[in-house]
Amino acid sequence: MRILAALAFALALVAPAAAQTTLIRDGRVVTNTGAGVIENGDVLIVNGRIAAVGATLTAPSGARVIEAQGRYVTPGAFAAMSELGLNEISGSGAPDDASVEGELVSAAADVARAFNPAVSAVAVTRMEGVTRAAIAPSGTATMFGGRGALVAMDGGPDSIFRERAFMVLELGETGAERTGSSRAAMWPVLEAALRDAREYPGRYRSGQGGAVLNELDAQALQPFANGQGLFLVRMESAADIRRLIRFKRDNPQLRFVIHGGAEAWQVADELARSQIPVLLDPLSNLPDRFERLSARLDNAALLHRAGVPIGIAPAPGTVDAHQARLVLQLAGNAVANGLPWDAAFAAVTRGPADAFGVGDRLGRLERGYAADVVIWDGDPLEVMAAPTTVLIAGQEQPLSSRQTRLRDRYNPAGRR
Amino acid sequence: MRTFAIAALAASAALSACSTTGGREEEADASDRAPYASTYAPRASTPTLIQNATVLDGAGGEFTDTDLLMRDGRIVQIGQNLSAVADATIVDASGRFVTPGIIDVHSHLGVYPTPGIDATSDGNEATQPNTAEVWAEHSVWPQDPGFERAVAGGITTLHILPGSANLFGGRGVTLRPVLGARTVEEMKFPGAPQSLKMACGENPSRVYGGRTSSPATGMGNVAGYRQAFAEAAEYNRRVQAHAESGEGDPPDRNLEMETLAGVLNGDILLQWHCYRSDEMATAIEISHEFDFEIAAFHHAVESYKIADLLAREGICSAMWADWWGFKIEAYDGIRENIPFVHAAGACAIVHSDSGVGIQRLNQEAAKALADARRAGLNISRGEAWTWLGRNPARALGIEDETGTLAPGMRADVVIWSRDPFSSYAVADAVYMDGALVHERGRRQPPYSDFELGQSYREGGQ
């Protein structure tokens, strides 16, 4: 009886939402599709998905109508790399699930098991128009950085929409540091680890064990080593990227996305031929690491021009749990440095969705896509703009957070 | 604005006399120069007339269709329809914006330069909680490639501080980002006071508490400050007593005490890293006990909670637009911190603490301005530029020299491609003392010797 009641309650929670129909009317609709930008466009949302996008849609009876009044209507932003939900406060000795310490596991670390949708950063992030995020550990003890997940920013219990979406693989300075302090050791260890994973469980059951991986890590790595999962490879230098392209040629079944790629512009044509996407930081222009000596502000523009798929993410080493909202500012700065606006906006929406293999349902305003829709009070890549409405899978999100509560408590303009 | 013209003429006459001596900032014979003193010399410049700009003057004003004339390193006139002087370079800034060069009151360029490796990590003398004796300028590497990037972002003055590991981190220095400088003295802002960097909160107690030495707690921090200032007051008394009486030997020189005494005497400006409002309030109590002034609280994430107190005390707050959550003392950061401080009549400053952030402080101000308006505060663009102009100049004691655009001020000027409160705005031209030091799109070898000859860079950027 109690179970039945609970079930009825659960259905009651879902049912009205599932039946909900919303029409957003008269917006500057950025579709991220061949339809481009539709002036005075409408977006019809039924049951959490986009049902239609066009110039003049009719609201079905009972539909909620949101007047966009000519404002930008766009897909929600996709933060291509963050530690969102893995801590409330990242320093101060507070609990931090982003950082995986010790030798117990590395590849097997799984942030889907750590993500907490209730952290205050989720609300802070979504009210800035970010509706989805890729999350990963900040680091482990080895070159295998653990398994990342894709999450929605709705703060609900089912926020994780893809577990084990990718395996972080450190193959730059950081990877070398963790592997005998040398790239000369890193690559042979990588190859040995892939063999361990492919030969799991046989060599572990036989008692032979792994050459370099423990059993847990070998098991976790196996699908990725067999081409069934995506490696998110952190590297910056042109020399490292060339090595990866060559490695991909010899191991065509493996799937890679580069995170970092500050010097990728130097190998843009090779990257375009290999169609390895790059998640890059448009602000990366300091030679702060030796692997980033030729970082430059127009990296995004040069890669885009060459035909390399790009997404925008904070540079490795600057990824955090609190400022994923700044991806739109990063994209605006890419525009300031030569990237066309459409490409820049795509790089914080469609680009990450495509790179993570969910581009068939996220990142576009197109029939059948999840209705992550944001209405803005200005150009979304402008630092002074902000959302006025945020929908995730058709559900309107509160534009409030712990920060707005503090704001209202101390506002000298008297709003409380 | 037109009324500036008369004063400007007088100023320009006085200044052109100066230029006949070779345009050197300091005419003193090098052999007479005090050790460590500035040797900064402005680059050669031609008179320049910028026409038809929207001017944000850094003092709160915004003026459309306005011209600005600079000559011999100084601003001589601002107004409409100015006539060009002989040999003036004329720049049409129609549709563009002109502001004072940006001042960053909190930078570690040079002391934590790029590339960042163990050997270049020169910003924290974290060997004991009081290292008031060290000077950041003695860690500055003039070849830091970050200086060139900062200039491209409109920076013409920056204050380099030691890190925050210590209660007393040492002396900070105000620099010009002189590209190609071979010595730090070439970069020192002439006549700018030094500062003392102090730090509240988690950092000192974590660094030293972790070594089971004091301070390990917030109360340990405060005891450390008070004991040191008590000793400095006594040192000061003995130095002054000897100076007055001339009897006996002077007290032994103590570099640590000299710095603290400088704060007590008002010669050295206090820049205090302090996030939490309650800790700032305690710091103010300490300043009352020992009768010194605090120029600014830095990283003052919670200033909005005590904006009235900060206004009353006349203390500036140097703040980020939106950093938060990276430690517990930054947990209550809100995007309206800067405008709430401003609205209380206190001195608000946008700072970077970052080699990346320093390149676009205009965008940080823009975010704060936008959030102010959403919160119901009526703040103009001109007022918002005081966060990058007059206010940081004041906190560094150089408000009579730079930070605002007015006749007689140093001609530190940025021409922005468009409204600088836009993501898309870039600095088209940056003038320092009237000399063009950055021009967007100009291809040239990197200034830093470190970057020269790295073949991939030579392709230009």
Side-chain angles (χ1 to χ4, degrees):
Chain A
M1 193 63 198
R2 204 171 273 171
I3 291 168
L4 273 180
L7 193 63
F9 181 62
L11 283 172
L13 275 180
V14 172
Q20 197 168 7
T21 299
T22 304
L23 180 70
I24 299 172
R25 200 150 60 188
D26 278 339
R28 184 167 205 273
V29 179
V30 178
T31 63
N32 272 350
T33 70
V37 176
I38 304 172
E39 302 290 349
N40 302 313
D42 304 339
V43 180
L44 181 66
I45 298 160
V46 179
N47 295 340
R49 295 191 175 276
I50 311 266
V53 179
T56 44
L57 302 181
T58 310
S61 65
R64 178 185 174 210
V65 176
I66 302 175
E67 298 290 351
Q69 298 173 312
R71 286 181 240 155
Y72 278 83
V73 175
T74 73
F78 194 133
M81 189 49 56
S82 92
E83 294 157 15
L84 260 166
L86 300 179
N87 59 56
E88 180 67 29
I89 292 162
S90 37
S92 304
D96 178 15
D97 289 321
S99 172
V100 178
E101 294 175 9
E103 305 289 334
L104 205 52
V105 294
S106 55
D110 180 0
V111 291
R113 309 292 188 83
F115 177 73
N116 179 2
V119 299
S120 54
V122 166
V124 167
T125 302
R126 77 170 166 239
M127 66 174 288
E128 306 283 344
V130 177
T131 54
R132 308 274 166 167
I135 59 171
S138 55
T140 68
T142 79
M143 70 165 77
F144 297 100
R147 293 172 289 183
L150 307 182
V151 298
M153 290 290 103
D154 58 81
D158 303 317
S159 303
I160 300 170
F161 65 97
R162 181 165 289 189
E163 297 185 4
R164 305 170 188 183
F166 56 93
M167 170 71 68
V168 176
L169 187 52
E170 297 280 0
L171 287 177
E173 280 181 14
T174 302
E177 272 165 35
R178 293 176 188 166
T179 321
S181 286
S182 169
R183 289 172 174 84
M186 184 173 69
W187 284 92
V189 169
L190 171 64
E191 287 166 346
L194 292 173
R195 276 195 301 276
D196 283 353
R198 288 172 187 139
E199 292 167 13
Y200 172 86
R203 63 186 295 158
Y204 293 86
R205 300 273 158 83
S206 72
Q208 182 192 4
V212 293
L213 291 186
N214 69 35
E215 190 169 349
L216 282 172
D217 286 336
Q219 181 186 21
L221 187 60
Q222 188 177 52
F224 300 91
N226 288 332
Q228 290 148 10
L230 180 70
F231 282 108
L232 183 118
V233 181
R234 291 195 174 136
M235 54 171 48
E236 301 278 13
S237 76
D240 285 337
I241 294 169
R242 283 198 193 93
R243 270 188 281 271
L244 183 72
I245 292 170
R246 210 172 307 133
F247 190 71
K248 162 86 176 162
R249 212 175 292 143
D250 297 339
N251 298 270
Q253 80 283 12
L254 299 184
R255 295 165 49 210
F256 298 112
V257 170
I258 292 171
H259 175 211
E263 295 186 351
W265 62 273
Q266 291 184 287
V267 285
D269 292 337
E270 292 120 288
L271 276 169
R273 276 194 294 279
S274 69
Q275 282 296 297
I276 298 176
V278 180
L279 305 177
L280 58 88
D281 185 339
L283 304 189
S284 186
N285 74 331
L286 284 165
D288 54 343
R289 300 181 180 181
F290 279 88
E291 62 184 345
R292 292 204 274 247
L293 286 187
S294 68
R296 51 191 270 176
L297 289 173
D298 54 1
N299 192 24
L302 295 171
L303 291 179
H304 172 71
R305 202 175 302 155
V308 180
I310 59 169
I312 286 175
T318 67
V319 177
D320 71 4
H322 297 87
Q323 295 287 61
R325 58 186 178 176
L326 298 183
V327 286
L328 292 143
Q329 185 182 0
L330 300 188
N333 279 273
V335 173
N337 290 285
L339 187 65
W341 191 96
D342 291 351
F345 192 74
V348 289
T349 49
R350 191 184 70 205
D354 287 345
F356 289 114
V358 290
D360 58 345
R361 73 203 75 166
L362 287 170
R364 293 162 169 82
L365 297 185
E366 186 174 359
R367 184 180 166 81
Y369 274 67
D372 290 7
V373 186
V374 181
I375 307 176
W376 304 82
D377 64 7
D379 171 351
L381 302 188
E382 279 284 12
V383 274
M384 291 189 72
T388 56
T389 303
V390 176
L391 306 179
I392 298 178
Q395 294 298 299
E396 183 156 7
Q397 304 295 312
L399 296 183
S400 59
S401 69
R402 186 173 175 278
Q403 293 192 355
T404 61
R405 297 289 298 276
L406 280 163
R407 174 196 69 194
D408 294 345
R409 174 169 284 179
Y410 288 95
N411 190 346
R415 293 183 185 175
R416 271 165 207 270
Chain B
M1 284 305 265
R2 288 192 192 86
T3 56
F4 286 172
I6 295 166
L9 279 174
S12 92
L15 286 161
S16 55
C18 184
S19 76
T20 58
T21 61
R24 297 283 300 188
E25 191 73 30
E26 298 291 330
E27 282 82 29
D29 188 311
S31 58
D32 294 341
R33 190 176 65 86
Y36 316 112
S38 170
T39 59
Y40 171 79
R43 281 205 210 164
S45 62
T46 56
T48 302
L49 176 65
I50 301 170
Q51 293 180 320
N52 304 318
T54 299
V55 174
L56 305 173
D57 69 1
E62 173 173 336
F63 306 92
T64 51
D65 290 325
T66 294
D67 303 346
L68 182 149
L69 177 65
M70 34 192 178
R71 188 166 65 196
D72 301 322
R74 297 273 165 172
I75 294 168
V76 288
Q77 207 173 355
I78 305 174
Q80 293 188 318
N81 304 313
L82 300 186
S83 355
V85 296
D87 302 328
T89 302
I90 296 182
V91 180
D92 180 11
S94 300
R96 297 193 285 171
F97 280 63
V98 164
T99 69
I102 296 173
I103 302 166
D104 188 0
V105 297
H106 197 115
S107 171
H108 300 296
L109 289 181
V111 300
Y112 283 113
T114 55
I117 54 175
D118 293 350
T120 62
S121 179
D122 272 338
N124 262 312
E125 180 67 21
T127 51
Q128 52 177 323
N130 185 348
T131 59
E133 69 277 13
V134 306
W135 294 12
E137 63 200 74
H138 297 144
S139 273
V140 168
W141 182 44
Q143 304 282 349
D144 183 352
F147 289 118
E148 186 170 349
R149 312 296 196 278
V151 172
I155 297 287
T156 52
T157 302
L158 69 176
H159 191 67
I160 309 300
L161 288 160
S164 54
N166 298 348
L167 299 177
F168 300 90
R171 295 193 195 189
V173 64
T174 297
L175 297 182
R176 300 296 243 172
V178 176
L179 306 181
R182 294 170 301 165
T183 68
V184 72
E185 284 77 18
E186 290 174 56
M187 304 176 76
K188 287 180 73 169
F189 195 108
Q194 289 178 308
S195 74
L196 169 63
K197 168 74 174 288
M198 290 178 62
C200 285
E202 294 180 29
N203 289 8
S205 53
R206 174 174 46 80
V207 169
Y208 294 97
R211 301 173 192 174
T212 60
S213 64
S214 185
T217 60
M219 57 190 172
N221 288 351
V222 173
Y225 310 134
R226 295 179 67 225
Q227 186 63 42
F229 278 116
E231 290 168 15
E234 174 59 17
Y235 177 82
N236 227 3
R237 190 194 60 74
R238 283 188 280 119
V239 170
Q240 281 167 9
H242 177 266
E244 283 162 20
S245 70
E247 289 169 13
D249 292 333
D252 289 346
R253 278 193 73 186
N254 180 318
L255 299 182
E256 181 185 301
M257 287 295 128
E258 284 182 9
T259 297
L260 296 181
V263 171
L264 295 175
N265 296 332
D267 303 328
I268 291 176
L269 303 181
L270 180 49
Q271 311 291 347
W272 203 332
H273 157 127
C274 214
Y275 285 71
R276 255 170 46 192
S277 53
D278 57 320
E279 294 187 336
M280 289 186 244
T282 300
I284 290 168
E285 297 294 326
I286 298 167
S287 76
H288 292 172
E289 180 183 1
F290 295 98
D291 193 23
F292 60 81
E293 291 187 359
I294 301 166
F297 288 119
H298 290 234
H299 314 336
V301 158
E302 290 190 4
S303 276
Y304 68 95
K305 297 184 181 181
I306 52 163
D308 54 339
L309 172 61
L310 295 167
R312 201 160 60 240
E313 293 284 333
I315 298 172
C316 293
S317 299
M319 298 165 280
W320 297 290
D322 55 15
W323 290 22
W324 76 288
F326 49 94
K327 47 183 173 172
I328 190 94
E329 61 190 5
Y331 188 47
D332 287 359
I334 63 171
R335 297 187 52 146
E336 296 77 10
N337 191 25
I338 291 164
F340 283 6
V341 170
H342 176 92
C347 163
I349 295 168
V350 181
H351 75 347
S352 81
D353 190 27
S354 157
V356 173
I358 196 173
Q359 300 178 45
R360 45 193 69 79
L361 282 175
N362 57 309
Q363 292 178 21
E364 300 306 294
K367 289 187 283 189
L369 176 59
D371 290 312
R373 291 174 176 175
R374 282 189 201 97
L377 297 174
N378 181 23
I379 296 176
S380 68
R381 286 191 297 209
E383 286 178 275
W385 204 273
T386 62
W387 307 336
L388 305 169
R390 182 193 60 206
N391 294 355
R394 174 183 149 192
L396 298 180
I398 52 175
E399 67 269 45
D400 295 334
E401 292 287 321
T402 188
T404 50
L405 299 177
M409 300 292 284
R410 288 176 182 271
D412 298 341
V413 176
V414 183
I415 303 176
W416 299 91
S417 60
R418 54 191 289 168
D419 179 354
F421 294 99
S422 164
S423 308
Y424 310 135
V426 290
D428 281 342
V430 179
Y431 299 85
M432 197 157 70
D433 286 312
L436 183 62
V437 293
H438 168 76
E439 196 176 5
R440 183 168 166 81
R442 185 175 59 190
R443 290 164 68 100
Q444 61 184 29
Y447 282 98
S448 170
D449 290 346
F450 175 77
E451 293 191 278
L452 191 67
Q454 293 170 355
S455 55
Y456 32 76
R457 274 221 164 272
E458 296 288 299
Q461 70 166 15

